[in-house]
Amino acid sequence: MKADGHPDYHTITVKMTDGTEFQTRSTWGSEGDTLTLDIDPTSHPAWTGGNQRLLNEGGRVAAFNKRFGGLSLKKK
């Protein structure tokens, strides 16, 4: 096996958007660095449920029926 085949794995501090911090091991930066996050699970809409489209709008079939629901192939 080749020597130096893996990156340096060391302890860093991660600072969340709400100011909380925790320590973890990472290949990012160097020993003791602080990674400040712009988006994290406490602020991102994917985790908080904010800024979400209504689910009861329906899918593609509902959109089609809404647009073309009044049309009919029957003769009057």
Side-chain angles (χ1 to χ4, degrees), residues 1-7:
M1 182 176 218
K2 287 184 180 180
D4 299 324
H6 296 282

Side-chain angles (χ1 to χ4, degrees), residues 12 14 23 28 39 50 70:
I12 64 166
V14 178
Q23 290 197 342
W28 180 86
I39 297 175

Side-chain angles (χ1 to χ4, degrees), residues 10-16 19-26 28 30-37:
H10 48 269
T11 303
I12 64 166
T13 302
V14 178
K15 185 174 182 182
M16 307 281 268
T20 59
E21 296 180 354
F22 65 92
Q23 290 197 342
T24 188
R25 292 178 49 84
S26 176
W28 180 86
S30 57
E31 182 73 33
D33 282 352
T34 300
L35 174 63
T36 304
L37 300 178

